[in-house]
Amino acid sequence: MKIVNKGVRKKDALALVTGKPVYTDDIAPNCLTVKLLRSPHAHAIIEEINTDKAKKVPGIECVLTYEDVPKTRFTTAGQTYPEFSPYDRAILDKHIRCVGDPVAIVAGWDEKSVDKAIGLLKVKYNVLEPILDFRKAKDNKIIVHPEEDFKALVDVGTDKDRNICASEVFEFGNVEEELKKCSQIIDETYHTKANHQTAMETFRTYTYMDTYGRLNILSSTQVPFHVRRILANALDIPKSKLRVIKPRIGGGFGSKQSSVSEMFPAVVTWITGKPAKIVFSRKESLTNGSPRHESEIRIRLGADDEGIIKAIHMDTLWNAGAYGDHGPTTVGLAGHKAMTIYNSAAAYKFNYDVLYTNTMGGGAYRGYGATQGFFALESAINELAARLNMDPTELRMKNMLTQSQVGNKLPTYYNEELKSCTLDKCLLRAKEMIGWDEKYPCRDMGNDKVRSVGVAVCMQGSGISNVDVGAVEIRLNDDGFYTLMIGATDMGTGCDTILSQIAAECLECELDNIAVNGVDTDTSPYDTGSYASSTTYITGMAVVKACETLKNKILDEGARLLGLNSDDVEFNGKEVFSLKENKSISLKDIGNNSLVGFNNYLTASASNYSPTSPPPFMAGIVEVELDKLTGKVDIIDYAAVVDCGTPINPNLARVQTEGGIVQGIGMTLFEDILYDENGRMMNDSFMQYKIPSRIDAGNIRVEFESSYEPTGPFGAKSIGEVVINTPAPAIANAIYNATELNFRELPITAEKIALKMLERNNI
Amino acid sequence: MQIKLWINNKEFNDDIAPDMLLLDLIRSKGFLSVKRGCETSNCGLCTVMLDNKTVLSCSTLAVRANEKHVTTIEGLEKEALEFGGFLADEGAEQCGFCSPGFIMNVLAMKNELKNPSEEEIKKYLEGNLCRCTGYMGQLRAIKKYLSRVKEGSYENS
């Protein structure tokens, strides 16, 4: 392979490092500034909004309340239709369901006037008691969604009158019977908190009417085609009236798989006909973003005295928050991804309730529920190892998926067949990298410092099987360069480059010979968008298919121009030639001829889906230093070994891994959305909601133990999400190995560690 | 109020509101590399140089730049490319949204610290947050860049 599996620069790299104006707010011209009045109450009914004074502020173009906007309900979750997330939201609603819910939309020609107008709005609320604890939400007398026009498109077990957003029971074998036979049972409950993706570019959207009377939306989104549908639903207008454009975007990590900001300027532009823009403040992005769902998972893990796992039960509670975005789907990954890695048990049960509350609605965050599931199950596995006095890596080698299981069916993973896996090699290599045998479980460093190691393994998927679609089109242009049209959404991850690498490999040309662009729903082929670890695997395969077709067309056209049969010519990327006839024609000439008269313009398109979602795997081993007096944990070293199949661009795969691990470290040690007793997020700035700095990140070392996935482009699987799943259980394990204390709630802050150590020492 | 300042050596005379932030003034003049990632001076995205010293333009009043020279990455394209090439070779610019502020601080560090250790590098750049990379790729790029600087590959700026 010449270009695939090479760490080439991203095609947009030099524009980004020189600060070129390529993001939404850089492109938006002078237009209306849109801001929101947000509710200070977690649960309330708006009785009256007086907009008179606000409307009189000079420069104000419009003030919109729930009476002025379409009343249709929709979901802001970016998912394939029919969405699993209920239609439970309106652009503006009389019923306030969480602090920060929008009450009014104000648009004006300068920010100061808009701020002034917002200050002049008078709202009378009937303040209701909120339900903030998801453990108490089911069958509570407080109902988050009493509205009649609530709609669940898919039966996911929704019962809104009981605050149930989704509910399901999955069982394979008989868990209760198997547990009875087990000599070792771990029965513990694990709690993870909501946390934020905090893409550096906050949510933002610019909207305008075009020459044809259509609403154009330029937005920082991972899901342009879903945004088109979401806005058509929200505004109650035909999709044909909408065009969505994605420029460069400043990070996503799942946050922009929900349509968070688009509807506000869109409704302003649709009503006023004038261009408008909203830029969420960091505070708004934190108080009303689309964070990871809070979870509580009770694990019952049964094994024999040798550590052979016989049964796994995951009894799961999920906090949807005020709206059901991604609630019914994220929860599924907690069980179906986590349990699958221990494929040899006799029985599995996974039951869940996803519950509405009056906290911020959740969304998609890298890992998409699997992260919560792996913290719970991998922690329980580590507790089982401790119970058996067994090295936790040994326990895993006895039970987890390995190369030898390739070809086996995965009963907890929709009965898919495992076609590629090197998880055993990943774990063994990570042990070598960290020096596990010398360092496990811990070493006293003196000075009240102890250094310990901890381990976890995990998997994810590659796209959503039978659902995700990636379509591409590739064109041959004059002088023989290609245009690759994609609907997949590069959010900094580099998919524009990765897909171009695949095209260049197929067409045997230089990377510079492939032109690629952002997404425009009018001109890009359909793509579900960049989420579910789908882009390289799903859209990458579409590129392979389209290039094959184009190559055949080039052969045919070359042969015709040479006056030969297609069977008698070959293509080497530069020319179509016949050795036998000693004739050739360059790609440049074919391209130029194709634009003249009688000849054929050469394009090819392909659409791809996958009946399977092959899992990438990863082993993560961390070494921490724990201060026994203060409880402070420093990350010393993180050894990560990944099986993502063939890494199409190893540099970008490595950076994905490093970035995901550091997000996982933040989630494990300090990131925590904290609410006061009235449901207001207390730590609503970067001053209080801390994400890891380069001091917190420690040293991270990444290697690949590549398998070859037969269904992926050049053997590739996904990389984007699997990388966030090991830090929480691995760090919790290292903390246990340093303190012999189990921490089953995230984040594991220094305070929690110090207090628990004090508590134990006093007994 | 009336102010006079230079952005990337271009003179601007303007009548501004007393509470205008330097970040907003700079962007209004078309220097769009400067980004706002928070409102609380925590992320480092808005880093620019004010008379050759880095400041957070989101928490600097525009009037503070009166009679001073502001430099953004648009004014240091050659240096940005010199370092940015190393960043690109690691794939560590990723979404790029934090890159301009981060690179401004790397360039300032290059001028300020001689042979910094890894710890000194991390400490100097601690205020520049990045959510994509996990910082390791940035560190690899910085080390490679600084060793080239040490070899005298680039002119001083």
Side-chain angles (χ1 to χ4, degrees):
Chain A
M1 288 181 287
K2 284 184 178 150
I3 296 178
V4 156
N5 199 226
K6 298 283 181 297
V8 299
R9 283 183 183 184
K10 279 200 305 119
K11 287 174 89 74
D12 55 356
L14 296 184
L16 301 186
V17 299
T18 51
K20 294 291 181 283
V22 292
Y23 304 91
T24 300
D25 192 33
D26 305 337
I27 298 165
N30 189 29
C31 60
L32 290 171
T33 293
V34 178
K35 288 197 179 193
L36 307 174
L37 173 69
R38 293 180 175 278
S39 166
H41 308 294
H43 197 197
I45 303 292
I46 298 169
E47 294 196 327
E48 195 186 320
I49 308 180
N50 188 327
T51 60
D52 295 349
K53 281 188 181 163
K55 282 179 176 162
K56 283 179 191 145
V57 175
I60 292 300
E61 189 70 27
C62 71
V63 178
L64 305 175
T65 73
Y66 66 89
E67 291 174 328
D68 308 308
V69 300
K71 307 236 172 335
T72 47
R73 287 204 185 269
F74 57 97
T75 177
T76 53
Q79 300 181 307
T80 294
Y81 179 84
E83 300 98 323
F84 277 49
S85 302
Y87 282 18
D88 57 7
R89 192 193 292 260
I91 299 174
L92 294 172
D93 203 338
K94 206 178 166 172
H95 190 160
I96 296 297
R97 296 182 182 81
C98 65
V99 171
D101 248 359
V103 172
I105 303 169
V106 179
W109 291 104
D110 67 287
E111 197 175 343
K112 278 193 172 171
S113 307
V114 173
D115 287 338
K116 190 176 173 191
I118 286 177
L120 290 169
L121 286 166
K122 291 270 176 288
V123 187
K124 211 171 134 190
Y125 297 96
N126 175 17
V127 179
L128 306 171
E129 188 190 343
I131 170 85
L132 301 172
D133 183 349
F134 71 131
R135 298 177 189 90
K136 297 176 186 158
K138 192 170 163 181
D139 294 322
N140 199 293
K141 66 177 194 310
I142 301 162
I143 297 173
V144 181
H145 284 279
E147 67 275 9
E148 294 284 306
D149 53 352
F150 177 104
K151 196 162 65 179
L153 274 58
V154 181
D155 181 12
V156 291
T158 309
D159 188 345
K160 72 181 182 62
D161 297 328
R162 301 176 65 197
N163 288 327
I164 298 172
C165 173
S167 180
E168 195 179 270
V169 181
F170 164 87
E171 188 157 13
F172 174 85
N174 189 327
V175 160
E176 296 306 328
E177 285 302 313
E178 290 300 325
L179 283 173
K180 276 184 206 157
K181 296 185 221 158
C182 292
S183 55
Q184 303 292 336
I185 293 177
I186 298 293
D187 182 350
E188 296 293 347
T189 299
Y190 302 86
H191 182 202
T192 69
K193 303 295 282 295
N195 37 55
H196 274 299
Q197 304 86 347
T198 69
M200 281 297 137
E201 183 195 34
T202 59
F203 302 103
R204 54 196 60 195
T205 304
Y206 162 61
T207 54
Y208 58 97
M209 299 303 294
D210 70 13
T211 322
Y212 309 96
R214 296 169 76 223
L215 178 59
N216 285 225
I217 294 106
L218 183 91
S219 195
S220 180
T221 177
Q222 296 173 229
V223 285
F225 286 92
H226 291 331
V227 165
R228 184 172 69 184
R229 178 181 60 254
I230 291 164
L231 289 182
N233 288 341
L235 297 170
D236 203 13
I237 60 175
K239 292 184 186 72
S240 59
K241 287 282 179 198
L242 290 157
R243 174 189 180 198
V244 181
I245 301 161
K246 180 221 70 110
R248 293 292 95 187
I249 77 174
F253 319 113
S255 61
K256 295 165 185 173
Q257 197 198 334
S258 287
S259 178
V260 176
S261 57
E262 285 86 359
M263 56 189 151
F264 304 113
V267 73
V268 166
T269 297
W270 188 248
I271 287 174
T272 65
K274 293 180 180 158
K277 155 180 103 176
I278 195 164
V279 176
F280 271 35
S281 64
R282 179 57 61 189
K283 183 178 169 176
E284 281 179 299
S285 292
L286 290 170
T287 58
N288 297 88
S290 50
R292 186 186 299 289
H293 293 95
E294 181 183 17
S295 78
E296 188 174 82
I297 304 175
R298 180 183 170 199
I299 300 269
R300 291 195 300 156
L301 176 66
D304 65 15
D305 289 339
E306 305 303 311
I308 303 299
I309 294 168
K310 304 289 185 186
I312 304 174
H313 179 199
M314 295 178 76
D315 179 12
T316 304
L317 270 190
W318 215 248
N319 185 6
Y323 301 98
D325 286 49
H326 300 285
T329 39
T330 49
V331 70
L333 277 67
H336 291 294
K337 300 278 191 245
M339 294 192 304
T340 299
I341 220 159
Y342 300 104
N343 190 50
S344 303
Y348 302 88
K349 187 173 178 185
F350 172 47
N351 58 287
Y352 59 76
D353 280 331
V354 182
L355 299 170
Y356 283 117
T357 63
N358 294 112
T359 58
M360 178 183 356
Y365 183 178
R366 192 181 216 166
Y368 203 77
T371 315
Q372 295 94 309
F374 275 111
F375 171 63
L377 185 55
E378 284 295 279
S379 292
I381 296 285
N382 286 327
E383 293 197 41
L384 176 64
R387 167 92 64 84
L388 294 167
N389 209 12
M390 189 184 282
D391 181 324
T393 61
E394 297 297 321
L395 179 64
R396 284 183 173 79
M397 290 303 284
K398 286 183 179 199
N399 289 287
M400 69 185 192
L401 291 175
T402 61
Q403 295 171 90
S404 64
Q405 288 204 49
V406 169
N408 287 1
K409 293 277 186 209
L410 306 170
T412 52
Y413 198 59
Y414 317 106
N415 226 22
E416 283 192 16
E417 181 189 330
L418 183 68
K419 294 201 178 86
S420 61
C421 174
T422 55
L423 183 56
D424 46 337
K425 285 167 83 175
C426 293
L427 182 55
L428 293 175
R429 179 66 192 134
K431 283 178 73 174
E432 271 174 32
M433 283 165 72
I434 209 91
W436 177 269
D437 292 336
E438 300 80 59
K439 290 175 178 172
Y440 172 77
C442 68
R443 297 172 297 155
D444 199 306
M445 309 302 285
N447 256 348
D448 286 309
K449 299 272 172 69
V450 55
R451 283 194 180 189
S452 59
V453 286
V455 62
V457 296
C458 72
M459 59 174 256
Q460 195 80 28
S462 303
I464 307 173
S465 52
N466 294 309
V467 173
D468 282 344
V469 172
V472 304
E473 188 185 328
I474 186 154
R475 302 170 179 166
L476 176 67
N477 303 294
D478 36 348
D479 284 0
F481 82 96
Y482 301 99
T483 314
L484 177 64
M485 316 285 290
I486 57 172
T489 313
D490 196 333
M491 48 180 149
T493 48
C495 80
D496 289 355
T497 305
I498 288 162
L499 296 173
S500 299
Q501 280 179 267
I502 293 174
E505 188 72 43
C506 293
L507 295 164
E508 299 176 69
C509 69
E510 301 291 322
L511 190 61
D512 282 347
N513 211 39
I514 309 278
V516 68
N517 221 313
V519 181
D520 177 338
T521 56
D522 272 7
T523 54
S524 304
Y526 181 80
D527 197 292
T528 34
S530 287
Y531 61 91
S533 293
S534 64
T535 308
T536 299
Y537 178 74
I538 297 281
T539 312
M541 206 60 181
V543 174
V544 171
K545 288 182 184 174
C547 289
E548 280 305 310
T549 308
L550 184 63
K551 232 173 144 172
N552 287 331
K553 288 189 177 181
I554 292 169
L555 276 170
D556 290 345
E557 190 66 4
R560 193 182 65 79
L561 290 165
L562 291 172
L564 299 169
N565 285 327
S566 299
D567 294 343
D568 298 330
V569 295
E570 290 175 69
F571 177 53
N572 63 5
K574 292 191 179 69
E575 57 183 14
V576 171
F577 61 95
S578 163
L579 286 177
K580 202 170 75 186
E581 303 288 333
N582 199 21
K583 279 181 170 181
S584 70
I585 179 167
S586 70
L587 185 66
K588 179 179 173 178
D589 287 342
I590 296 172
N592 288 338
N593 272 299
S594 74
L595 305 185
V596 184
F598 174 76
N599 301 307
N600 296 311
Y601 180 52
L602 301 185
T603 70
S605 60
S607 169
N608 185 51
Y609 83 102
S610 175
T612 70
S613 176
F617 296 95
M618 175 169 167
I621 300 187
V622 67
E623 181 178 9
V624 305
E625 182 170 280
L626 188 140
D627 186 318
K628 288 193 279 185
L629 290 180
T630 64
K632 185 166 186 293
V633 172
D634 289 322
I635 305 294
I636 302 299
D637 198 5
Y638 206 110
V641 185
V642 187
D643 164 22
C644 59
T646 305
I648 302 292
N649 185 319
N651 282 3
L652 298 178
R654 175 172 289 106
V655 174
Q656 282 294 307
T657 311
E658 292 162 346
I661 288 169
V662 172
Q663 290 180 344
I665 289 169
M667 174 185 176
T668 309
L669 293 179
F670 39 81
E671 289 183 44
D672 191 1
I673 294 174
L674 294 165
Y675 294 102
D676 69 13
E677 68 280 8
N678 297 316
R680 184 185 69 85
M681 183 181 171
M682 294 189 289
N683 48 343
D684 57 5
S685 74
F686 270 178
M687 193 119 31
Q688 299 144 301
Y689 186 91
K690 286 287 184 193
I691 63 170
S693 76
R694 67 193 72 230
I695 303 264
D696 304 310
N699 187 44
I700 297 162
R701 291 178 295 148
V702 176
E703 290 189 12
F704 298 98
E705 281 289 353
S706 303
S707 62
Y708 188 92
E709 171 55 41
T711 66
F714 299 99
K717 298 189 279 191
S718 81
I719 183 74
E721 294 185 278
V722 67
V723 294
I724 201 171
N725 295 335
T726 62
I731 294 169
N733 184 221
I735 293 170
Y736 173 81
N737 287 333
T739 63
E740 296 195 337
L741 291 170
N742 282 303
F743 289 84
R744 302 186 183 100
E745 182 187 75
L746 298 182
I748 310 170
T749 59
E751 295 91 313
K752 286 183 190 171
I753 296 171
L755 285 171
K756 206 161 176 173
M757 283 195 294
L758 276 175
E759 217 172 86
R760 181 199 35 207
N761 297 343
N762 286 341
I763 291 168
Chain B
M1 49 206 301
Q2 286 291 333
I3 64 162
K4 179 170 92 171
L5 77 165
W6 293 263
I7 305 176
N8 300 330
N9 292 324
K10 193 172 168 198
E11 186 180 320
F12 292 92
N13 289 280
D14 213 342
D15 185 13
I16 61 159
D19 61 351
M20 187 176 212
L21 295 169
L22 183 58
L23 168 58
D24 296 316
L25 178 70
I26 295 169
R27 279 190 68 89
S28 76
K29 300 300 174 199
F31 301 99
L32 298 168
S33 70
V34 188
K35 304 288 192 257
R36 179 184 266 115
C38 67
E39 300 91 37
T40 48
S41 64
N42 293 101
C43 74
L45 265 66
C46 62
T47 304
V48 300
M49 287 181 193
L50 190 57
D51 280 354
N52 291 321
K53 213 171 148 40
T54 52
V55 297
L56 295 174
S57 63
C58 81
S59 36
T60 303
L61 287 172
V63 290
R64 294 274 300 273
N66 191 30
E67 299 289 338
K68 290 186 174 163
H69 284 264
V70 174
T71 311
T72 71
I73 210 164
E74 286 96 336
L76 292 172
E77 179 141 331
K78 185 167 88 47
E79 292 82 355
L81 277 173
E82 285 166 357
F83 170 63
F86 288 96
L87 204 56
D89 284 338
E90 297 294 334
E93 78 289 355
Q94 286 285 294
C95 84
F97 204 71
C98 73
S99 294
F102 165 67
I103 293 173
M104 291 304 287
N105 231 2
V106 169
L107 298 177
M109 177 179 74
K110 178 203 75 169
N111 293 335
E112 201 176 319
L113 303 183
K114 297 293 162 224
N115 300 322
S117 67
E118 190 171 310
E119 285 315 301
E120 286 169 322
I121 293 169
K122 286 183 174 181
K123 198 74 207 155
Y124 194 97
L125 298 168
E126 190 184 5
N128 290 93
L129 296 179
C130 165
R131 194 57 154 171
C132 291
T133 63
Y135 305 107
M136 293 301 298
Q138 292 183 347
L139 186 62
R140 289 192 290 273
I142 291 165
K143 284 180 173 173
K144 287 175 186 169
Y145 170 66
L146 289 182
S147 76
R148 290 291 294 277
V149 169
K150 206 171 157 186
E151 289 163 12
S153 300
Y154 311 118
E155 299 160 30
N156 274 334
S157 55

